Amino acid sequence: MAKHMRLVSGARPFLKWAGGKSQLLGEFGKRLPEGYLKNKTITRYVEPFIGGGAVFFYLNQRFSFEQCTIADLNEELVLTYRVIRKSVNSLIGELEMLESAYLDKNEREREAYYYEIRDAFNRDLPAIDFRHYNARWIWRAAQIIFLNHTCYNGLFRVNRNGGFNVPFGRYKNPDILNVDNLMEVAARLENTRIIRGDFTKCRKYVDDRTFVYFDPPYRPLNATSSFTTYSRGGFSDKDQKRLAKFFRELDRKGATIMLSNSDPGNEKSGDSFFDDLYAGYTIERVPAKRMINCNGARRGAVSELVITNYGTKKA
């Protein structure tokens, strides 16, 4: 039988996400332009790399935005956000069936069931129309949430063909379905524009009354630690440079901007890649933990970058 579903307080990420920002919300909170947010000088919120959405949910529950826009290049992720907004009750029904079937099995059977769902998910990919909402999306979103919460380390990773390729994770009691949280998330998405595509597609939704948060796929800390394969393309240094140029463009439009990324200095002292890209802006290093690494010895304290065009001064 499905396990008891615990209550939650406010919306939180419904997917596990490598590089998710839940652990950094306290540090981000210290650096928000709170004056502008509280006196409603800022009326719009834009997040072009939504990922797990930790910052979006955090801000959306604390400040009253007239308009929110979230985007991502990952078509599966965008599909899932749209399903939660439009068909959350139907999605919950599909997840109830998946959770019940999974939890009723022993570990060996669970593993076989996981690969059965993963194979079906990959096999169905060519038939998915990511441009137009349809009934297939609901089952697709349920599969994504199920796989994310039962796979190894809670990763979302695809190969060059778009196939989900993360192996089985051996969790005793995975959090496959949390009805209360999904309902909270749906409420937060009700008046939110959801876009699939490159970060530059958010350009027309940004003006001088907009707070923009950029959380791009992180620049790898070393040659073996890349977790940028959340979509088929990846995110190269060339893309990082293109993003920095876009950051400056939105700055000239008068937007209030925050960006986070990995600190190259964690692995190579003196690496000034981001210091050079964002010269002239406020660059701070905040403590974080490397949460996902196949080598447990390499999980530990690191610093991450928080870059803003307004400094830490409260407006």
Side-chain angles (χ1 to χ4, degrees):
M1 295 296 293
K3 63 183 178 180
H4 174 70
M5 294 166 288
R6 66 180 182 277
L7 295 173
V8 296
S9 177
R12 60 180 176 82
F14 56 90
L15 293 174
K16 298 179 181 181
W17 203 255
K21 294 301 172 294
S22 295
Q23 64 160 317
L24 288 173
L25 292 178
E27 294 292 343
F28 289 170
K30 299 173 188 176
R31 293 163 174 81
L32 292 174
E34 283 196 19
Y36 293 133
L37 291 166
K38 288 179 177 178
N39 65 26
K40 298 190 178 180
T41 303
I42 290 174
T43 59
R44 293 182 173 188
Y45 178 73
V46 172
E47 187 170 340
F49 303 91
I50 186 61
V55 175
F56 167 71
F57 295 126
Y58 175 80
L59 292 175
N60 200 273
Q61 291 167 111
R62 286 161 178 78
F63 304 102
S64 179
F65 297 107
E66 294 176 7
Q67 184 181 85
C68 292
T69 300
I70 62 176
D72 208 279
L73 192 60
N74 186 316
E75 56 197 6
E76 305 282 8
L77 179 65
V78 170
L79 177 151
T80 307
Y81 273 100
R82 289 176 173 170
V83 167
I84 293 174
R85 182 181 63 184
K86 187 177 179 68
S87 306
V88 66
N89 289 316
S90 297
L91 173 63
I92 287 169
E94 299 286 10
L95 282 169
E96 284 177 339
M97 290 188 292
L98 281 168
E99 182 180 65
S100 180
Y102 183 84
L103 295 181
D104 278 346
K105 301 181 186 304
N106 60 38
E107 185 171 326
R108 181 182 58 78
E109 293 169 334
R110 287 183 178 188
E111 182 172 5
Y113 187 65
Y114 170 84
Y115 285 111
E116 177 184 331
I117 298 298
R118 195 186 79 167
D119 289 346
F121 178 81
N122 289 335
R123 187 171 58 249
D124 291 345
L125 177 59
I128 302 300
D129 178 0
F130 288 100
R131 296 171 299 171
H132 304 105
Y133 196 96
N134 61 78
R136 284 179 179 266
W137 283 26
I138 300 169
W139 175 238
R140 187 81 177 172
Q143 289 176 308
I144 289 168
I145 294 172
F146 170 81
L147 291 171
N148 176 256
H149 285 279
T150 55
C151 74
Y152 178 74
N153 257 345
L155 290 171
F156 187 98
R157 185 183 65 201
V158 296
N159 58 31
R160 292 186 180 276
N161 295 319
F164 187 80
N165 62 0
V166 185
F168 176 65
R170 301 182 184 280
Y171 301 108
K172 296 294 184 183
N173 200 28
D175 189 21
I176 296 169
L177 173 61
N178 189 315
V179 172
D180 301 282
N181 188 54
L182 285 175
M183 296 301 292
E184 289 275 3
V185 168
R188 296 299 164 187
L189 293 174
E190 200 169 87
N191 296 313
T192 298
R193 181 186 293 109
I194 305 172
I195 299 172
R196 179 172 69 88
D198 184 75
F199 56 85
T200 57
K201 290 189 73 173
C202 290
R203 178 184 282 110
K204 64 181 178 180
Y205 305 113
V206 177
D207 61 16
D208 61 0
R209 296 173 68 84
T210 307
F211 180 53
V212 182
Y213 171 59
F214 288 112
D215 181 27
Y218 273 15
R219 189 173 186 241
L221 294 176
N222 55 56
T224 61
S225 67
S226 176
F227 286 99
T228 62
T229 50
Y230 305 128
S231 62
R232 306 185 200 191
F235 207 77
S236 66
D237 278 0
K238 182 178 180 180
D239 292 312
Q240 296 285 2
K241 292 174 183 177
R242 191 165 57 90
L243 176 58
K245 182 178 179 181
F246 189 59
F247 184 107
R248 294 179 183 276
E249 176 188 333
L250 299 189
D251 179 36
R252 291 191 295 270
K253 291 182 73 170
T256 305
I257 313 170
M258 174 185 285
L259 178 146
S260 56
N261 215 306
S262 57
D263 181 3
N266 289 314
E267 297 287 335
K268 184 179 178 182
S269 179
D271 188 330
S272 61
F273 181 80
F274 289 114
D275 297 85
D276 295 338
L277 276 185
Y278 294 95
Y281 295 109
T282 301
I283 302 175
E284 297 182 89
R285 286 166 169 81
V286 302
K289 289 184 179 180
R290 183 190 283 112
M291 300 302 291
I292 295 182
N293 195 297
C294 59
N295 181 353
R298 295 190 66 84
R299 298 177 189 172
V302 295
S303 65
E304 299 205 10
L305 301 178
V306 178
I307 301 168
T308 62
N309 69 339
Y310 55 86
T312 58
K313 181 180 178 180
K314 304 301 179 188

